[in-house]
């Protein structure tokens, strides 16, 4: 890998984020004649039984505040400047709250829950998928393919409801909702962390169960192909140990496409698992996004989408840098 | 690549022949049977094969596709997979070890240390994510070889040198090597523990002609250095004639003729061998590719008597009835054909 490639790849990342952010800026403004502030104020006035007179003045005031009275190119310039500073503006639905704070507060919950669940699901799923396709595995291990496939076909929210019902409601092993117990002081104490982990187990289980099936399915397909490769047969003819052939010849090669999928999956983590989080009333990004959509809170939705774009761009870039280390056939020597 | 004289030896003189008669038997294969269970019945892919391999000889196995050559090699490596199984026989080394009666762990240890394989498709026979040196080192370590990193580097460099590769190749990945270099790397790995028997199943079929010759030369050179026995499978008769000292002709899982390469090629005795040899275009008989009449054998409903009789131009009435045994013709030449079984009363012994 050389500097030339790194510079080009980072530039590409910046261009992608810029283009996506611009689309994010212009698309909502294409809707002719729609004015979210006027609509919002109109709704508030109607529900609150307010007189409509003052609204015009309020719209003007808000437009000045959000800079919506300026020409489009100026708005665009300000938007880009804000984006660079990661300033996502105010929430429309909860006005004084800033989008950055809403997302910032929810992010650790989501990342903590999701990254760990996705990684656990990936590790177990990949291993089980590989073993289920390996000719040297015991018969019962190869038989695991069927339940794994079934599991991958059940959506995580359904698994969520099932684990919620059995482990939460019937067996009362875990709390039904929330990220921590109400009344618990959110300070860094051992009790607090235990409480947080206790709350995260059910939603994590829902995600892990489905992820295991998903990763196992992909890995199984790759492993079936890999186990028929000539280098596996020669390794066996050379008297290598079964475990070595499985791990260093089979798994190692069959895993390569899994890494691409894992990267994308980790990037998607920042958008949360909307339905799972909502089911468990988990204070993560998924819940924030769900509430924003319900309240037509455009700035929050835009903020989440922007963060998601940046995460995907960043992760794909990191993967491009890592791939030559994983697969020597891919190299970034100049010209390629 | 130079050093040992590998000057071409197309023919073998009479002295060579008598010498091979007195050679020590290294591996004695008796009654080897490999069957495949199919939905339509049992296929006898290797059918009652007797074969003695001498110490330090180059033996060629020839036969049309599906005649059981690969299956026989895999049986010696104990790599027959379901639906196949070794249904009988012995393969006894000169120290008394029977390859067909080893425990699974003994089978593993036996591979490479005693019996090594040079693969057919070297194109894809090396792990794409491991450097050549790493792979060879790992393979040796798996067999309990010990040493420091530097010691292994030296051993790998020496192995690479033996197959005509530069030591830098150890640092390369398979995709950075040409087909011929990959095959050489595979050979280096195969000889890493000085095996006594090297099995090579069409080792050059994926390579171009010039590289083929070079690889075969290297293989011969190493065979002489190690005093190993090479069992070469191939259908290139020219290459076989240059490389092998003795050949065996397989048909339908049976070994139908065995003898010194010069005898078998110049003076084939079995009708199948005769057709096989005459089907090769040569300088003397340019363009007279005859082919062999009749369709290839189906192992599932194989004929009674001699397996070849439906296609045999010299078939006699008794060929569909009696199974031929092995008849000794000259020194070291055996044939399995009723034409040579003079006494009818002994014909059904096999
Ligand atoms: N996996 C298998 N299943 C069923 N039959 C097989 C299988 N592998 C080989 N055979 C049988 O063994 C015979 C010999 O095959 P093979 O040893 O590959 O021949 P060769 O190497 O001489 O071309 C084939 O004709 C086929 O009938
Ligand atoms: Mg074959």
């Amino acid at each position: 890998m050389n500097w030339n490639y790194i510079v080009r790849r980072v530039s590409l990342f910046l261009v992608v984020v810029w283009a996506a952010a611009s689309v994010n800026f212009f698309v909502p403004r294409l809707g002719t004649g729609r004015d979210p502030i006027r609509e919002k104020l109109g709704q508030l006035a109607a529900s609150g039984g307010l007189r409509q007179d003052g609204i015009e003045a309020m719209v003007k005031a808000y437009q000045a505040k959000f800079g919506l009275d300026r020409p489009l190119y100026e708005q665009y310039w300000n938007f880009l400047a804000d984006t660079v500073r990661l300033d996502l503006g105010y929430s429309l639905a909860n006005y004084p709250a800033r989008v950055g704070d809403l997302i910032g507060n929810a992010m650790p919950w989501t990342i903590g829950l999701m990254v760990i669940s996705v990684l656990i699901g990936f590790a177990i799923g990949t291993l089980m998928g590989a073993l289920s396709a390996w000719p040297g595995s015991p018969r019962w291990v190869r038989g695991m393919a069927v339940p794994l496939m079934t599991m991958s076909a059940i959506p995580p929210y359904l698994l969520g409801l099932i684990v919620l019902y059995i482990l939460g409601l019937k067996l009362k092993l875990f709390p039904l909702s929330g990220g921590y117990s109400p009344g618990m002081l959110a300070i860094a104490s051992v009790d607090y962390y235990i409480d947080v982990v206790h709350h995260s187990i059910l939603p994590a289980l829902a995600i892990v169960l489905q992820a295991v099936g998903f990763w196992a399915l992909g890995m199984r397909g790759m492993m079936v192909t890999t186990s028929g490769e000539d280098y596996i047969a020669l390794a066996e003819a050379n008297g290598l140990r079964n475990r070595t052939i499985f791990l260093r010849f089979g798994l190692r090669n069959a895993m390569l496409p899994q890494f691409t999928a894992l990267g994308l999956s980790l990037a998607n983590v920042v958008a949360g698992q909307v339905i799972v989080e909502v089911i468990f009333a988990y204070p993560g990004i998924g819940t924030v996004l769900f509430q924003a959509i319900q309240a037509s809170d455009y700035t929050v939705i835009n903020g989440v989408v922007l963060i998601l774009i940046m995460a995907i761009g960043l992760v794909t870039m990191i993967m491009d840098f890592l791939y030559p280390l994983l697969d020597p056939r891919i190299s970034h020597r100049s010209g390629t | 690549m130079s050093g040992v004289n590998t000057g071409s030896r197309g023919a073998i003189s009479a002295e060579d022949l008598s010498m091979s008669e007195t050679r020590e038997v290294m591996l004695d294969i008796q009654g080897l049977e490999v069957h495949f269970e199919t939905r339509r019945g049992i296929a006898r892919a290797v059918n009652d094969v007797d074969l003695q391999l001498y110490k330090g000889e180059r033996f060629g196995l020839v036969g049309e596709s599906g005649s059981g050559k690969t299956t026989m090699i895999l049986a010696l490596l104990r790599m027959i997979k379901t639906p196949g199984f070794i249904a009988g026989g012995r393969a006894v080394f000169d120290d008394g070890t029977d390859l067909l009666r080893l425990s699974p762990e003994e089978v593993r240890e036996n591979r490479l240390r005693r019996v090594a394989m040079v693969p057919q498709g070297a194109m894809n026979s090396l792990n794409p994510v491991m450097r050549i040196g790493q792979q060879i080192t790992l393979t040796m370590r798996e067999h309990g070889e010990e040493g420091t990193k530097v010691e292994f580097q030296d051993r790998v460099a020496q192995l690479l040198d033996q197959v005509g590769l530069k030591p830098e190749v150890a640092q390369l990945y398979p995709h950075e090597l040409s087909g011929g270099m990959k095959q050489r790397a595979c050979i280096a790995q195969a000889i890493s523990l000085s095996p006594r028997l090297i099995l090579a199943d069409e080792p050059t079929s994926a390579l171009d002609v010039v590289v083929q010759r070079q690889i075969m030369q290297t293989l011969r050179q190493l065979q002489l250095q190690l005093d190993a026995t090479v069992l070469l499978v191939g259908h290139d008769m020219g290459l076989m004639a240059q490389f092998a000292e003795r050949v065996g002709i397989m048909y339908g899982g049976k070994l139908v003729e065995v003898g010194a390469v010069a005898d078998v090629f110049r003076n084939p005795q079995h009708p199948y061998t005769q057709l096989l040899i005459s089907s090769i275009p040569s300088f003397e008989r340019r363009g007279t590719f005859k082919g062999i009449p009749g369709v290839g054998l189906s192992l599932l409903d194989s004929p009674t008597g001699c397996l070849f009789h439906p296609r045999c131009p010299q078939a006699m009435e008794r060929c569909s009835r009696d199974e031929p045994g092995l008849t000794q013709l000259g020194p070291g030449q055996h044939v399995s054909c009723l034409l040579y079984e003079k006494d009818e009363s002994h014909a059904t012994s096999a």
Side-chain angles (χ1 to χ4, degrees):
Chain A
M1 200 165 355
N2 56 11
W3 281 109
N4 189 12
Y5 175 77
I6 295 177
V7 169
R8 273 189 297 144
R9 189 62 188 79
V10 172
S11 314
L12 180 65
F13 164 68
L14 295 175
V15 168
V16 166
V17 171
W18 165 76
S22 301
V23 170
N24 210 18
F25 173 84
F26 284 110
V27 167
R29 286 166 175 77
L30 287 179
T32 44
R34 286 203 62 182
D35 182 343
I37 292 174
R38 195 184 304 275
E39 280 175 25
K40 185 81 197 169
L41 288 172
Q43 269 172 22
L44 284 176
S47 60
L50 281 177
R51 285 169 46 216
Q52 305 276 324
D53 316 348
I55 285 190
E56 218 37 52
M58 282 168 78
V59 168
K60 284 261 149 49
Y62 273 119
Q63 280 184 335
K65 177 144 200 85
F66 293 133
L68 295 177
D69 53 345
R70 317 261 178 75
L72 198 60
Y73 72 86
E74 209 179 312
Q75 286 185 41
Y76 180 57
W77 181 250
N78 287 337
F79 164 78
L80 287 184
D82 288 347
T83 303
V84 168
R85 282 182 275 116
L86 284 180
D87 179 353
L88 302 172
Y90 292 97
S91 159
L92 290 182
N94 314 288
Y95 164 60
R98 300 190 64 88
V99 175
D101 294 339
L102 282 178
I103 293 178
N105 289 336
M107 193 62 86
W109 292 98
T110 286
I111 291 190
L113 171 70
M114 296 278 299
V115 170
I116 292 173
S117 320
V118 167
L119 288 180
I120 292 176
F122 175 83
I124 300 176
T126 300
L127 193 64
M128 283 168 81
L131 283 170
S132 77
W134 188 244
S137 297
R139 188 176 289 268
W140 69 270
V141 174
R142 279 178 289 147
M144 295 290 288
V146 178
L148 286 172
M149 264 188 248
T150 314
M151 226 150 69
S152 76
I154 305 176
Y157 56 84
L158 201 56
L159 287 170
L161 288 176
I162 294 169
V163 296
L164 191 64
Y165 181 75
I166 297 173
L167 299 178
L169 211 60
K170 286 287 166 199
L171 300 177
K172 298 196 190 335
L173 291 177
F174 300 103
L176 297 178
S177 68
Y180 50 91
S181 302
M184 195 77 171
L185 283 178
I187 47 165
S189 68
V190 174
D191 280 354
Y192 176 67
Y193 286 127
I194 289 175
D195 187 54
V196 166
V197 169
H198 199 214
H199 275 80
S200 67
I201 285 178
L202 282 190
L205 202 58
I207 298 167
V208 166
L209 281 179
Q210 198 261 347
V212 164
F214 172 82
W215 294 113
L217 205 61
M219 190 61 188
R220 188 182 149 73
M222 286 308 302
M223 200 64 173
V224 166
T225 314
T226 306
S227 62
E229 295 283 1
D230 292 342
Y231 53 79
I232 302 277
L234 185 62
E236 195 189 344
N238 280 338
L240 269 64
R241 290 193 176 84
N242 252 326
R243 207 171 53 118
T244 311
I245 304 176
F246 173 73
L247 290 175
R248 301 192 60 180
F249 287 67
L251 194 75
R252 176 71 175 74
N253 280 290
M255 279 239 335
L256 294 171
Q258 293 278 99
F259 280 118
T260 315
L262 176 66
L264 290 177
S265 179
L266 283 177
N268 273 306
V269 156
V270 298
Q273 258 280 13
V274 176
I275 302 177
V276 172
E277 287 187 25
V278 170
I279 288 175
F280 290 97
Y282 200 77
I285 299 280
T287 303
V288 168
L289 187 60
F290 179 72
Q291 287 165 354
I293 291 169
Q294 277 189 321
S296 304
D297 196 338
Y298 295 126
T299 46
V300 172
I301 297 172
N302 281 351
V304 173
V305 171
L306 194 67
I307 299 277
L308 178 61
I309 289 164
M310 288 206 254
I312 289 178
L314 201 65
V315 166
T316 44
M317 181 172 72
I318 292 172
M319 284 198 316
D320 277 349
F321 289 145
L322 287 183
Y323 232 96
L325 303 179
L326 299 173
D327 187 346
R329 283 162 296 187
I330 294 169
S331 74
H332 297 315
R333 272 183 239 127
S334 45
T336 54
Chain B
M1 278 258 304
S2 60
V4 178
N5 174 27
T6 57
S8 72
R9 259 204 305 169
I12 287 171
S13 64
E15 291 102 64
D16 284 344
L17 243 181
S18 54
M19 255 176 64
S20 68
E21 263 312 273
T22 57
R23 278 170 133 174
E24 283 173 67
V25 173
M26 186 191 73
L27 180 65
D28 186 12
I29 302 169
Q30 293 286 340
L32 181 61
E33 290 274 346
V34 184
H35 296 179
F36 283 92
E37 219 163 315
T38 71
R39 262 177 299 163
R40 292 180 42 228
I42 299 263
R44 292 175 82 176
V46 175
N47 186 340
D48 192 22
V49 166
D50 296 344
L51 176 64
Q52 279 85 46
L53 292 176
Y54 298 126
K55 191 164 171 289
E57 77 163 334
R58 296 182 299 275
F59 189 93
L61 205 53
V62 186
E64 60 192 19
S65 172
S67 57
K69 307 180 299 290
T70 299
T71 307
M72 186 157 142
I73 280 194
L74 292 180
L76 295 180
L77 277 167
R78 297 286 301 273
M79 281 189 45
I80 301 287
K81 299 279 161 66
T82 45
F85 58 96
I86 297 173
R90 302 183 292 136
V92 185
F93 260 91
D94 46 12
D95 67 352
T97 323
D98 186 347
L99 291 182
L100 306 186
R101 279 169 189 71
L102 298 176
S103 72
E105 185 56 20
E106 286 170 332
V107 165
R108 186 184 85 73
E109 285 164 5
N110 188 64
R111 291 175 185 163
L112 200 69
R113 201 171 271 296
R114 197 198 291 256
V115 185
M117 187 170 89
V118 176
Q120 178 167 22
M123 280 307 158
N124 197 21
S125 284
L126 292 161
N127 188 345
V129 297
M130 254 189 228
R131 295 177 201 275
I132 303 301
Q134 258 183 310
Q135 300 198 28
I136 298 177
T137 304
L138 173 69
T139 303
M140 288 194 286
R141 281 191 192 277
E142 287 276 300
H143 281 278
E145 296 292 297
E146 281 166 9
T148 63
K149 216 179 153 188
V150 179
E151 281 165 358
F152 272 110
Q153 276 170 4
D154 290 346
R155 284 180 75 174
V156 167
Q158 201 202 323
L159 288 167
L160 292 176
D161 183 57
Q162 279 180 282
V163 297
L165 290 174
K166 296 203 190 81
E168 296 86 73
V169 170
Q171 295 307 312
L172 299 180
Y173 287 100
H175 72 276
E176 297 171 294
L177 270 52
S178 70
M181 289 166 83
K182 277 188 226 179
Q183 188 58 289
R184 283 173 193 280
C186 286
I187 295 173
Q189 181 158 266
I191 60 164
S192 60
L193 299 179
S194 314
R196 302 202 51 208
L197 176 60
I198 299 172
L199 307 172
D201 190 354
E202 308 193 6
T204 58
S205 59
L207 304 171
D208 66 67
V209 182
V210 178
V211 180
Q212 274 184 11
R213 306 260 150 184
Q214 291 170 347
I215 298 270
M216 292 315 295
Q217 245 170 40
T218 306
L219 205 54
R220 167 140 63 170
Q221 219 168 287
L222 291 167
Q223 179 263 332
L224 291 171
Q225 273 174 27
L226 296 169
D227 197 25
T229 299
V230 174
L231 178 55
L232 174 74
V233 166
H235 50 231
D236 184 333
M237 297 292 212
L239 220 58
M240 207 46 109
Q242 282 201 346
F243 182 82
E245 296 160 278
R246 292 199 303 147
V247 286
I249 313 291
M250 279 193 93
Y251 181 79
K254 275 196 172 293
L255 204 55
V256 294
E257 183 162 359
V258 180
V261 77
D263 295 338
V264 173
F265 281 20
R266 292 238 180 90
N267 191 15
Q269 298 299 314
H270 195 283
Y272 174 70
T273 318
Q274 288 166 0
L275 286 167
L276 196 67
I277 303 289
S278 66
S279 72
I280 310 161
S282 69
F283 282 116
E284 301 98 79
R285 299 186 309 270
R286 217 175 305 190
T288 58
F289 187 84
K290 283 190 203 155
I292 297 175
V295 287
L297 182 67
S298 161
L299 292 179
L300 287 168
D301 32 26
S302 42
T304 53
C306 170
L307 292 177
F308 187 58
H309 87 262
R311 294 167 79 185
C312 182
Q314 299 173 58
M316 306 174 293
E317 180 262 324
R318 58 186 282 232
C319 291
S320 58
R321 200 180 58 229
D322 300 339
E323 231 178 281
L326 217 53
T327 314
Q328 172 141 15
L329 296 176
Q333 193 161 9
H334 300 266
V335 67
S336 165
C337 177
L338 293 173
L339 286 173
Y340 304 92
E341 287 186 15
K342 298 284 180 283
D343 187 354
E344 216 165 313
S345 58
H346 293 155
T348 48
S349 59

